[in-house]
Structures are given as C-alpha cells and as structure tokens.
Amino acid sequence: MRILASRLHGLVQTRGFASSARRLHNYGFIGLGQMGYQMAKNLQSKLAPSDKLSIFDINTAAAEALEAEMKAVPTGATVELVTSASDAASDADTVLTVLPEPQHVEAVFRSILGKGLPKRERIFIDCSTIDPSTSRKVAGHVAAAGQGIFVDAPMSGGVVGATAGTLTFMLGADEGAVPRVEPVLLRMGRKVLHCGDQGAGLSAKLANNYLLALSNIATAEAMNLGMRWGLDPKTLAGVINVSTGRCWPSEVNNPVPGVVATAPAGRDYSGGFGISLMKKDLRLAMMAAKEVGANMALADKAFAVYEDAEKRDECKARDFSVVYRYLGGKESS
Ligand code: NAD
C-alpha cells in the first residue's frame, strides 16, 4: 500500500509538467441525483478545458439535463455523456461515485470490475453514505483487480452545500493518497477531514449522524416538554443554547416553528435533511455498531420513531426535525 501511495504521489506531481508519465486529466462521475448532479457541475466548472469528465446515471433524463447544462457554459472540462458505469471509468484517472445505498455501490463496482478495464492506478472516490464494511469490501475488490485504489469520502452539507460547493468531506484513505484526493474534493467542497485509513471516513460520518439522530429527538422532546410547562419556545431555546443542552438541532435546526427563522420548521419542514435519509444513516450506524459489538442503548427506540414518523402523511418527505410534529408538539403561538 505504501509503495502504491508513493507512486500515486509521483503521478500527481507530473500534472502540468512535461513528462513521459500520463497526465491526470480524465474524470468519471457516476450518480447524478440530488447531490451528485450539483457536485459534478462544480467539478466540471473548475476543471480545465483540456480535462475530460465522463458522466453516467441510470436516470438518463438527469444525465442528459446535466450534459446540456454543462455544455451551455463555454468554460470547464469537456463533457462526455456515457451509457454505462464502466464507460465512465475506463478512460478515467479519477472516478467519483455518489450513489444511494450499499447495494448500489456494490452493483456499480461489479459492473466496472467485471468489464476487465485496462489496468491503471485510478483513484475511486466514493462519496455515498454506506456502511464501512461494504466500503472496505469494494476497496478490496478494486485492489485485487489491479484497477487502482478506492477511498471513502462521505459528506455533510446537504443539497445546499453541494450546490454552493461548500461540502465537508470525511475522508478514509491511506495517508499517501490524500494529496491526490484532496484537490478533487476541494473543487466540490470547503473542507476535507482525513479520518484515517479506508473506511474511517464512513465510521466518522455514521458516528456523527447517530448522535444527530438522537439529539434531534431529544431536542424535540425537551422543547415540547418545556412548552407544555408554559415556557415560551424562544426563551427556552435561548436558555438551552447557552447551557449544557446546546446542540445543532437546538441552535440551528430548532424543530419549533418560529424559533430559528431559517430552520425548515418555519416552512412546514420542507427542504433540509429528509427524514428518510436520517433513518437510513441510523440504520447503517446500527448495522456497523453490531459488527464491533458496541452497545447502543437508545438506537432501537430512535429508529422506531423515525420509521413510524416517516410513514405519516404529515411527516413524510420532510426535514427530520418534523419528529417534533410527530410527538404532538404545538406549532402555532
Ligand atoms: P439520490 O437518490 O438523489 O441520487 C442517487 C443517484 O444515483 C440517482 O440519480 C440514481 O439514478 C443514481 N443511481 C442509482 N443506481 C445507479 C447505478 N447502478 N448506476 C448509476 N447511477 C445510479 O441521492 P442523493 O440525495 O444524491 O444522495 C447520494 C448519497 O449521498 C447517499 O448515500 C446519501 O445518503 C448521501 N448524502 C445525501 C445528502 C442529501 O442531503 N441528499 C447529504 C449527505 C449525504
């Protein structure tokens, strides 16, 4: 691994210099959904016209729309719409994947590796939120096939961050691969936090989102409780936010309408971080916790809350702070 890493570093340094080594200018992007579409747009716009970006999604309409948007702007990398994941990867030095769930990442890599592409020191950067075990398994398959290295770089910042190019990436990669991965990610985000070896980015992301899943419910419960005791919600949030209960759900994403003007609660819980994505991340964290025997005393109960809330018409497809509504919290003053 160490040898591969230093060879990769050597490749990075050849970029822009006259050298017999191949220049790193071919990119592949697979998965153009809510996040990937915007990320690919930012990446393409910040690459040079001599670079090439091959894009693919099974949703042809999304891929065609993105191709048209990119081609309408005269700057940035050359765009090529391809018809399979392996076509997106075959010519590329750097391949990004932004896919929904572990099974989609596995399927895409099965199709890429099954094609017997020319062996090359590609970097595969997977920004999907999946479980660390699946991620490590796919990384093993990539290495065994001699197709390059696979790193995990799940992200936070949501669609707003993806559009603005301000995402934070949690990177799991061998130290030697970081100089090659970081500049790519910084074209789509503002921060890259190197968390450790491959898989560590996902572990950090899932631990954080586990905490968020619980603090969101706890905030909704505490706000509902205080208001039922007669407290004014803004007064209560003001106390919590300078006290020991302070957390992101209380301060930024407060679930009570009107407490934080910009929070999704004030617009019928629209936008924000969808309740289904929260449930998905919680499920992945619980799966990964089981594998290492970590005791998660509150996990099952929290999962049941999201699972039940997600099914209700008044909560489904809304920001996850809608659990306040699910608990029967008062929404008008
Ligand atoms: P999405 O469902 O909007 O997009 C996923 C895309 O992958 C879709 O366009 C789908 O057609 C495509 N896809 C599925 N299978 C494919 C295949 N075999 N080949 C090619 N394309 C395929 O999901 P999203 O909201 O963009 O999220 C992507 C990942 O990022 C998820 O893992 C999610 O948990 C994570 N994430 C999302 C957010 C968010 O706010 N949406 C925030 C942080 C992290």
Side-chain angles (χ1 to χ4, degrees):
M1 193 49 143
R2 217 168 258 293
I3 295 166
L4 173 62
S6 68
R7 279 161 68 204
L8 283 170
H9 192 59
L11 264 176
V12 180
Q13 293 187 325
T14 63
R15 192 184 167 119
F17 296 94
S19 160
S20 57
R22 214 164 34 79
R23 286 155 56 97
L24 303 174
H25 58 179
N26 287 342
Y27 296 77
F29 206 115
I30 301 162
L32 308 167
Q34 297 226 67
M35 298 293 287
Y37 191 103
Q38 303 299 337
M39 292 163 72
K41 235 173 99 175
N42 278 319
L43 177 64
Q44 185 264 346
S45 73
K46 291 175 192 167
L47 292 173
S50 56
D51 295 335
K52 187 178 84 175
L53 178 66
S54 303
I55 55 171
F56 174 66
D57 196 299
I58 45 170
N59 178 350
T60 314
E64 284 173 356
L66 182 59
E67 182 197 23
E69 262 199 70
M70 286 173 169
K71 286 190 170 164
V73 182
T75 53
T78 306
V79 183
E80 181 190 40
L81 176 60
V82 294
T83 54
S84 71
S86 55
D87 284 347
S90 69
D91 224 12
D93 309 287
T94 306
V95 180
L96 290 121
T97 39
V98 187
L99 298 160
E101 301 255 5
Q103 66 270 25
H104 303 107
V105 175
E106 286 192 293
V108 161
F109 279 87
R110 244 194 325 273
S111 90
I112 292 175
L113 301 177
K115 277 278 152 66
L117 300 180
K119 294 203 176 187
R120 186 180 283 189
E121 283 178 355
R122 295 178 186 81
I123 287 256
F124 290 95
I125 306 174
D126 183 33
C127 298
S128 322
T129 304
I130 62 170
D131 61 294
S133 283
T134 301
S135 186
R136 281 192 280 266
K137 195 164 77 186
V138 174
H141 293 326
V142 171
Q147 294 293 343
I149 64 167
F150 174 100
V151 304
D152 53 302
M155 59 226 165
S156 68
V159 179
V160 172
T163 307
T166 56
L167 294 168
T168 295
F169 293 94
M170 286 139 269
L171 176 61
D174 183 88
E175 188 75 46
V178 177
R180 185 163 162 201
V181 176
E182 204 175 37
V184 179
L185 294 176
L186 289 177
R187 290 187 164 107
M188 301 174 292
R190 251 191 212 145
K191 276 191 214 142
V192 177
L193 309 173
H194 184 216
C195 303
D197 287 344
Q198 204 281 311
L202 284 163
S203 297
K205 161 94 184 172
L206 294 182
N208 177 74
N209 281 22
Y210 178 72
L211 178 57
L212 178 63
L214 300 188
S215 62
N216 176 57
I217 297 174
T219 301
E221 287 178 344
M223 291 299 300
N224 183 35
L225 174 67
M227 287 164 68
R228 281 172 191 261
W229 281 335
L231 287 165
D232 169 73
K234 280 192 179 162
T235 304
L236 175 55
V239 170
I240 291 172
N241 289 334
V242 293
S243 307
T244 46
R246 177 181 166 197
C247 55
W248 187 82
S250 70
E251 198 172 25
V252 179
N253 210 54
N254 197 289
V256 182
V259 170
V260 176
T262 50
R267 36 177 206 270
D268 192 22
Y269 300 95
S270 65
F273 185 46
I275 190 164
S276 305
L277 283 177
M278 183 76 268
K279 190 187 95 175
K280 174 203 145 183
D281 289 1
L282 180 53
R283 177 176 52 78
L284 292 173
M286 289 163 72
M287 251 167 69
K290 217 174 239 171
E291 285 172 9
V292 292
N295 186 4
M296 313 288 271
L298 301 176
D300 285 336
K301 185 64 202 172
F303 189 80
V305 168
Y306 288 112
E307 190 170 43
D308 196 22
E310 186 200 29
K311 288 184 197 138
R312 304 213 179 163
D313 281 345
E314 69 275 21
C315 299
K316 75 163 63 128
R318 289 181 163 78
D319 180 73
F320 74 132
S321 62
V322 77
V323 296
Y324 173 78
R325 175 179 283 171
Y326 170 79
L327 294 171
K330 191 171 164 222
E331 292 180 44
S332 55
S333 47

